[in-house]
Structures are given as structure tokens and as C-alpha cells.
Amino acid sequence: MAARAGVGLKTVSRVVNGEPGVTPDTERRVQEAIEALGFRRNDSARVLRKGRTASIGLVLEDLADPFYGPLSRAVEEVARAHGALLINGSSAEDPEREQELALALCARRVDGLVVIPAGDDHRYLEPEIRAGVATVFVDRPAGRIDADVVLSDNYGGARGGVAHLIAHGHRRIGFIGDMPRIHTAAERLRGYRAAMEDAGIAVEERWMSLGATNPERVRRATEEMLSGADPVTAIFAGNNRVTVTVIRVLAEQSRPVALVGFDDIELADLLQPGVTVVAQDAAALGRTAAERLFRQLDGTLLAPERIELPTRLVTRGSGELPPAV
Amino acid sequence: MAARAGVGLKTVSRVVNGEPGVTPDTERRVQEAIEALGFRRNDSARVLRKGRTASIGLVLEDLADPFYGPLSRAVEEVARAHGALLINGSSAEDPEREQELALALCARRVDGLVVIPAGDDHRYLEPEIRAGVATVFVDRPAGRIDADVVLSDNYGGARGGVAHLIAHGHRRIGFIGDMPRIHTAAERLRGYRAAMEDAGIAVEERWMSLGATNPERVRRATEEMLSGADPVTAIFAGNNRVTVTVIRVLAEQSRPVALVGFDDIELADLLQPGVTVVAQDAAALGRTAAERLFRQLDGTLLAPERIELPTRLVTRGSGELPPAV
DNA sequence: TTGAAAGCGCTAACAT
DNA sequence: ATGTTAGCGCTTTCAA
């Protein structure tokens, strides 16, 4: 490479990186050689030498979920603004896979890591963090480790949503959520209980159903709450997956059942009735986390913080239905 | 590291990589040292030496688009099955950004590249391909370069969808699509024209509108087609973004207008009427492309091929409405 | 079974 | 303005 241009190795390096101190004439000669020989810089070697990879990792649950797409995109935008690439992987809600992925990313020497936890113990990241890998957790808190966390106000959002149903006259309100080991699910359930308690309503066991969010289970849970002697008159759906299935089941019912869902859904406004939701801003979640990550990297070393983003109640009709007699 | 365990450098390497030829006793000593000193293998150096990175790149249009989420996830699954990580970036439909991203990925020495083209000239990838980077294009064909391509049958799908409308009595049918420079948009328009021609219908200019898919423009285009002397009685929407906006506009109309959309949409079955669509399988697109990529990598060197996946007409009501008088 | 030496492609530090 | 040297952390090769 250098030989072909008849210059020293370092000069080539200078040209490639646009560093100063090269005569226009030499530069041209080097450029020619680059073209002719088809030179392609090897960033692996560069990384090895410089210590920074200009890439960050994102471990999330499922890239195909409409909630994580925008989040991921927001992280990518911030990374791009900082000249970094994004490597991402899906944990599929499996703690082991989360760890495996996160450590693989660290072995690649990503500069930082944004993690949407599947597990509840992140001590395995301690050596990495000590070694300088910036780390931020999003959507759910880190487990057994002190780190930056960016969350939505799951508790407050759910509490507000359920209070909204109560304000519209409901007392028998069902809650269908994700597996209780998932932090967001637990928090939303807590919000549900709080709103009910605020209204002096004693919650019955059969009004609550936590578990996998696959359509079959959610359908069964919904149907059970709607049958029997004193069926619920309203349902609070714990996330977007649940909401979609509950909508399907409610559409088959003869009497109207009120519904408020956590997470916004596309076309929710066009259904009959429109679906009232507690919306969280997935993009803001991602953006905030990524910005925090790069601030860690900038050396503005700040103490780990817990940032909570507000949710927003969007009324569209389904949450304002009165209890059916 | 090696010093601490009192062994040679290579022995540590052997232990870390689980290579044979180490006494259990020595291995234990090395493991201890690893724990104590918090060793973390640096894959950058490994890559530099081995030549392969066990990672592939994915350049797509927008990770936040519900069409690309599942596609990306499918690519990731295949990569994972082959022990590779996925690095992905969004081109935002900007050819320059596509190129910048693709080349950045190549500089990182990804083993392969899956590209959803934004531009129509991919000669810039020739040196990379020659250097051994496996490359597959998805969703849209490569430009001015001979490479593997995995596509949906955009032409046939659109033709079938429009024929469906014609079969239900429509003759004045509008087509609203993406910018004509985008291959899928052009192909779908071609399918529209073919179906119309098959039926002996002379297409009028004002029935066709191609351009950006932002809500404002699509809304305007829809409203124009629906006004005037001989308004269209049916609309074929060129992709999921367009469909969503058209649904909104149609919901405001007093008379019913038939609609068939390209791409499936969540909750399309629950709207009134249900939305008839030409569905493509985004996950299959991604899976097929990624599998092809790894077959290139496996050395089963095959000649570049063009694979076309079928689409599926899903009737739900909106496409079966008769023309309103 | 183990180790020493060379080198992957690059850049930082120091000549010239 | 340009070149030389050393070394990033690992694996490959060959020798002990």
C-alpha cells in the first residue's frame, strides 16, 4: 500500500484519516494508490489500538414488538449523532439470553450498553462497568446493582387509568397483565390496587390475572372475568399485547365493557369505540437513556440516577363507557 | 494474566477458548487467575487475527416502521443460529446515508451485509464484495450490480388486489403510493395499471398519486380523488403508511369507499369495515435473505439469484364494498 | 502438555 | 512534511 505510493506507512494513515501535515501532491499520489489497490481500512485494528469502538449495544426484549421499534430507533439516532453504530439483540424475555448477549457485546468492546432487562440480577455486569463500559437500563430497573435507570411512571400511569374507570362509575374492574416477575407488570398492578384502594373498593382475586401475554391466555382470562355471577364491567389491560387481544374478545361480547390499555396502539382511535390508553413515549425513553449513556462516556461522570418519564391518558371512548347493567 | 497463574500466555488462551491439551490442574489455576483479575477477552484483537467477526450488518429504512421490525427480528434469529451478532442502522430513505452506513459496517469487517436499498446504485459495494463480504438485498433490488435479491411479488400482489376491486364492480379506482423512485412503489403501480388494462379500463391521471407517505400528503391526495365530478369509488393504498392515513380519511366520508391496502396492519380486522389487504410476510423476507447470506458465507458459493416471495390477499370487508352511487 | 515468537492492521510517540 | 518504532491483545506456528 505504502510502497505503491512510494511513501511511508504513516503517511498513508494520515491521508486515510484526513490528518494535517501532508502535501497536496503526496496526498494525491496516496489517494491514487488507495483507489488502485482497493484499500479498505480495518476498524478492528483501529479499535484495538484506540480503545474505543464508536459503537454501543442495545439489549431489548423483541425488536418486532411495536413498542421497541421506536425505542430502538431513538437510541440509534442518538448514537448516530455521536458517530456511533448500534448493535442490538433480542433477549426474548430470557434472563440467560440477556446476559449472554450483554457479555458478547462487551467482548466486542462496545463503548456502552443500553439494556432493557429480562432478568433481575445484573451483577454479572459489574466487572464490565468497572472496566469502563457505560451502562444504562431502560423500561425496567437494574437488579442488585447501582446504575442509571430510565423508566416510565408505570405505577402512576396505571393508577390514573384505573381511577379514570372508577370515575366513570365502574367498581368491578379487571386487571390483565404480564408475568409478575416483570417489573413493569408488577408496578402497573400496584397502581391498579392503589386506585382501587383510594376508592374504597375491595379487590377480588378473580379480577386479576397476570401471566404470559400470548393471545390464548389473555383471551381465556378475559372471558373468565366476563362470565359468572358478578362479571367485571371494565378491564385495564397491562400492555399493548394484552390490549389487542382484549379488544378482540370485547368485540365479541353482547354488552359493552369499558377498557383502558397501557401503551398506545396504532389505529386505536379508529376502532368503535376508540380505545382509551395510558400512553408512554417509547422514543423519549430510548432517547433519554442513550443521551445519558453518552454523557457517561463524555466523562461528565454523574452518579447513577433514576429518571421517571410521565405517561399520558388519552381518552377515546372505550374508557368512558358507563358500567353495563 | 499468565504470570499470575504461573503459566504461559498460550495456555491461558487455550483455557479461555476451551481448547484441548491442558491438564485439569493447570486449567483450574488459570480459571482462578481469570476470576481474580477479572479477565475479559477482547474480541477486537481476536477478529484482527482470525479475519472473521461473527457479525452481520443490516441496513434498513426505519427500524420504527412496523414492517421492518419483524424483518429485522427474523434476520437476527438467523444470525443468532449461526452465532453471529446483528449490527443495524436506518438509512431513513436517504441513499447517501445508506452508503455511509454500509461502508461503515464493512470497515467494521462484518462478515455479511443485508441491505434494504434506499439508493439505486450499489456499485460502491463492489470492492467490498470482491473482498469477500457476503451481500444480500431485500425488499428492493440492487442497482447496477449483480447480487442476491429477495423480494415480495409487488407487481403480482398489487395486480391481484386491484383486480379484486374490479371484480366487485369498481371502475374508477385510485392508486396512492410511495415515491416512484422506490422500486416497490413503482412495481405496485405497474400492477395497478396492468389490472386496469386487463379490465379494459382507461386509467386517468388524477387517479394516481405517488409521493412521500407522510399523512398530510396522503390525506390531500385521497381527498382530491374523492371530490369532483367523477370521484373514485375505490382506493388501492400502496403501503402500510398510506393505508393508515387513507382509513382515517375514509372514516370521515359520508358515502362508503372501497379500500385494499398493500401490507397487513395490526387490528385491520377489527375496524368497521375490516380492511382488506395484500399481505406480505416481512419475517419470511428477512429469514430468506439471512439464510441466503450465511449460505454465501458457508462457501456454498452460488450464483446471484432473484427470489420472489408470494403475497396473500386477505379479504376483510373494505375491499368487497360495492361502488357507491 | 506447554511455551516462545511472530504478526494480524493500525496509530501514538517520537524521530528526521 | 514525512518516516520509524513499538505495541494494542490475540491466535497461529513451531519448538520444547
Side-chain angles (χ1 to χ4, degrees), chain B residues 162-198:
Chain B
V162 174
H164 183 73
L165 288 167
I166 294 172
H168 282 269
H170 296 273
R171 297 190 60 84
R172 297 196 306 278
I173 303 173
F175 178 95
I176 304 181
D178 210 330
M179 298 173 285
R181 69 171 174 80
I182 298 177
H183 175 263
T184 49
E187 281 295 290
R188 292 169 197 175
L189 177 63
R190 205 162 66 77
Y192 163 83
R193 283 180 177 286
M196 295 297 264
E197 190 176 329
D198 289 345

Side-chain angles (χ1 to χ4, degrees), chain A residues 40-41 43-44 47 53 62-63 72-73 76 80 86 88 90 97 107-109 128 248 269, chain B residues 40-41 43-44 47 53-54 62-63 72-73 76 80 86 88 90 97 107-109 128 248 269:
Chain A
R40 320 179 312 139
R41 184 173 75 187
D43 276 6
S44 301
V47 161
T53 57
D62 180 2
L63 205 43
S72 179
R73 178 67 198 275
E76 186 202 335
R80 183 178 136 83
L86 179 64
N88 48 23
S90 304
R97 195 158 152 187
R108 301 284 163 114
R109 289 295 185 273
E128 309 296 335
R248 290 223 154 75
D269 55 324
Chain B
R40 319 179 313 139
R41 184 174 74 187
D43 276 4
S44 301
V47 160
T53 56
D62 180 3
L63 205 44
S72 178
R73 179 66 199 274
E76 186 202 334
R80 183 177 137 83
L86 214 216
N88 48 23
S90 305
R97 195 158 151 187
R108 302 284 164 113
R109 288 295 185 277
E128 308 296 336
R248 290 223 154 76
D269 56 322

